[in-house]
Amino acid sequence: MIPVINEGERIKNLLSRMAALKIDEVADIIIIDGGSTDGSMELASLQQNGVRGLLVKTGPGKLSAQLRCVYAFALDQGYDGVISIDGNDKDDPEAIPRFIEALTQGVDFVQASRFISGGVAENTPKSRDFAIRFIHAPMLSLFSGFHWTDTTQGFRAYSRKMMLDDRMALFREVFMTYELLAYISYRAPKLGYRCVEMPTIRRYPKGEVPTKISSFKGNLSVLEVLMRACFGCYNPSAK
């Protein structure tokens, strides 16, 4: 599943790379569009690159709202698990078969990491590298009880069992922006789910930072979400 909004050539490049790897032969490719207006969701092009389905979110919210849409679709369609990868072509899809293998071996939550042995981080902005290594990942590690190294990226895999767990309760309207990413990293280990990090390649293009997070206000919002997740504010029983 690939969340997108106005990704332009980036999503086209990602789909071409996935087609070259024949990802559509081992997994169905579903795009969840947040309302693109740049022409990148032209159906013929998507079909040529092996995309099985295009969902369009029309309600309020950003990334987490998109993810709730595609999670619900995947569960309704009977999939055993889902893999999400950002549509901005920063992540190398070559890791997808390894994620699938992990799910088939009983892992419930796979998190991609550019920072563990075998991972590659290219051109990561220094401020973002610092924030992940010394703030975001350490806090989620401390409060979840699982040692995370790379917690802000959306290249992940989830088991059907975990997604359906009422104690996770993923389909609540409190999840509208970036809450689900931090919440699942915190909550899944707490509930005893089998979690792993797997090495992946994440490349930022030189001179460009493809992201929907603005430099100050967006980063402040991510920090607020992190704090709320770590202190259990998104737990189903939280008032």
Side-chain angles (χ1 to χ4, degrees):
M1 59 184 192
I2 311 174
V4 301
I5 182 167
N6 291 329
E7 298 296 351
E9 291 300 315
R10 292 186 290 267
I11 181 60
K12 295 179 182 179
N13 292 339
L14 174 63
L15 291 175
S16 294
R17 294 164 71 190
M18 293 174 75
L21 292 166
K22 299 182 178 179
I23 296 299
D24 63 325
E25 294 183 6
V26 295
D28 288 339
I29 301 171
I30 309 295
I31 290 179
I32 172 65
D33 180 30
S36 295
T37 56
D38 62 354
S40 60
M41 294 292 100
E42 199 272 326
L43 290 179
S45 175
L46 299 181
Q47 291 169 341
Q48 289 172 4
N49 281 301
V51 175
R52 176 180 181 261
L54 171 64
L55 308 177
V56 179
K57 180 190 72 64
T58 57
K62 297 182 179 179
L63 177 62
S64 288
Q66 287 175 262
L67 294 176
R68 285 189 287 122
C69 287
V70 74
Y71 293 168
F73 174 83
L75 292 171
D76 184 65
Q77 292 290 304
Y79 290 103
D80 292 324
V82 300
I83 297 168
S84 63
I85 184 169
D86 292 343
N88 53 24
D89 197 32
K90 289 186 294 190
D91 297 303
D92 195 324
E94 61 82 29
I96 290 174
R98 298 198 300 276
F99 281 30
I100 295 173
E101 178 63 20
L103 289 178
T104 62
Q105 295 297 319
V107 174
D108 295 296
F109 177 16
V110 182
Q111 170 65 64
S113 177
R114 73 200 101 170
F115 299 129
I116 60 176
S117 178
V120 175
E122 285 190 10
N123 303 321
T124 308
K126 291 182 178 179
S127 60
R128 182 156 300 184
D129 183 273
F130 178 87
I132 297 167
R133 289 178 183 266
F134 298 104
I135 300 174
H136 207 276
M139 280 197 65
L140 280 170
S141 297
L142 177 65
F143 284 90
S144 73
F146 184 88
H147 179 61
W148 299 110
T149 65
D150 200 354
T151 46
T152 61
Q153 63 165 305
F155 195 4
R156 300 168 163 210
Y158 308 130
S159 72
R160 179 181 181 88
K161 178 178 69 175
M162 189 193 77
M163 295 171 66
L164 284 171
D165 192 335
D166 289 340
R167 298 172 300 166
M168 293 291 294
L170 300 180
F171 299 98
R172 289 173 287 143
E173 292 187 1
V174 68
F175 302 125
M176 297 295 280
T177 59
Y178 297 96
E179 300 90 355
L180 271 174
L181 299 184
Y183 169 71
I184 295 175
S185 296
Y186 162 80
R187 187 71 169 160
K190 285 282 193 182
L191 295 177
Y193 280 107
R194 186 178 172 190
C195 305
V196 300
E197 284 191 325
M198 299 189 74
T200 56
I201 301 167
R202 173 164 268 219
R203 295 185 173 97
Y204 282 76
K206 291 183 179 180
E208 180 188 7
V209 181
T211 180
K212 299 298 186 294
I213 303 175
S214 61
S215 58
F216 179 76
K217 185 178 179 181
N219 287 322
L220 189 63
S221 175
V222 170
L223 182 59
E224 179 185 359
V225 165
L226 171 65
M227 298 294 291
R228 290 179 62 82
C230 287
F231 285 99
C233 296
Y234 300 122
N235 292 355
S237 59
K239 303 298 183 181

